Amino acid sequence: MKDIILFSIPTLIWGSTWLAITFQLGVVDPLVSVFYRFLLAAIILFIYCSLIKMNLKYSAKQHLFMAIQGTFLFGINYWLVYMAEVHLKSGLVAVVFSTIIFLNIFNGLIFLKSKVRMNVLASALIGFVGIVLVFKDEILNFNFSNDRSFGLILAFLSVITASLGNITSAYNQRNKLPVVQTNAYGMLYGSLLMLILVFIIGTPLSFDVSFKYIGSLIYLAVFGSIIAFWSYLTLLGKIGADKAAYAMLVFPIIALLLSTMFEEYTWSLFALLGIALITSGNFLMLKKAH
């Protein structure tokens, strides 16, 4: 039952964060919103670490790799996600993001020398066909000046950066860096990078005092960035990364259902078939790991 609870928490939270991100869009620039989100999450994590007296002293090299993780996973990745949701329904961005399962495998091969089996390649191909079907119209009418096409590009770039962040996290854990403290420093470094970009680009450091913005910001920082990661990584430690990754099969479906209810996303036959293929490809790839 405890494993079921640990699985349900990140699945439900991450399934809903895609819609919550839409409440961050409008008044405040996405770059600034990502800065606020991860700065708040980092502050909370550092307070937690201090209260229970967790080690916060690390070498310059360890800080470098925590900064790399934060740059990809808690900085650039989410900036791209927020911008993608300006142009695409939140559920569709979640669908694109679920392909991180495959990208993690190939990046693991390149950077961590992990093995890739033929059945994994076959599963990836099934998932790729599914993505093509879901975004059939965007692909057939691709144009760099088209908003939906641009949103699709941003979504795929976010998956690439997130995967690099995941691989860096795996490298850090191999080198005995604890997850909680690494996330705390990573979120801090990621947020500071966003702040630097704010000043470089000249983006206004504005804030929205509406309940919608502040409420979604707190939800994304506390639940989406702290609790969900804690639950997922705890589950990962208990049952293994392969089984824990089944969360990636469920949250895009939740995100699409919420997008249907709140963003009036319209399902097509191709979209239904594409989602079925993506889910099947992910399931077959993960099933082979057992």
Side-chain angles (χ1 to χ4, degrees), residues 165-181:
N166 284 347
I167 296 302
T168 307
S169 176
Y171 175 84
N172 287 338
Q173 290 184 59
R174 280 189 181 184
N175 287 276
K176 310 303 180 184
L177 278 175
V179 171
V180 174
Q181 294 98 310

Side-chain angles (χ1 to χ4, degrees), residues 266-282:
T266 303
W267 291 79
S268 67
L269 180 60
F270 284 105
L272 285 169
L273 180 58
I275 294 297
L277 287 174
I278 293 166
T279 305
S280 299
N282 288 357

Side-chain angles (χ1 to χ4, degrees), residues 75-151:
I76 297 174
N77 160 41
Y78 275 96
W79 181 27
L80 291 168
V81 166
Y82 278 47
M83 290 195 297
E85 291 201 19
V86 172
H87 307 285
L88 288 175
K89 302 292 187 185
S90 62
L92 290 177
V93 180
V95 170
V96 176
F97 206 83
S98 71
T99 61
I100 194 173
I101 296 177
F102 305 114
L103 203 56
N104 280 352
I105 292 173
F106 294 117
N107 280 334
L109 169 67
I110 296 170
F111 297 106
L112 301 177
K113 309 304 180 184
S114 304
K115 294 181 179 179
V116 177
R117 299 177 300 275
M118 287 303 297
N119 50 43
V120 171
L121 294 175
S123 300
L125 180 60
I126 293 172
F128 175 75
V129 172
I131 286 289
V132 170
L133 290 176
V134 171
F135 293 98
K136 176 181 68 69
D137 292 338
E138 285 76 9
I139 293 171
L140 291 176
N141 301 296
F142 185 84
N143 188 316
F144 281 106
S145 63
N146 182 289
D147 278 356
R148 288 172 64 86
S149 297
F150 184 58

Side-chain angles (χ1 to χ4, degrees), residues 213-253:
Y213 184 83
I214 295 176
S216 60
L217 177 63
I218 294 172
Y219 180 76
L220 289 167
V222 176
F223 289 90
S225 304
I226 296 176
I227 296 176
F229 271 110
W230 171 82
S231 300
Y232 181 75
L233 293 173
T234 301
L235 180 69
L236 186 147
K238 286 172 62 66
I239 68 174
D242 53 348
K243 294 181 181 178
Y246 274 98
M248 298 294 178
L249 300 180
V250 182
F251 82 70
I253 307 302

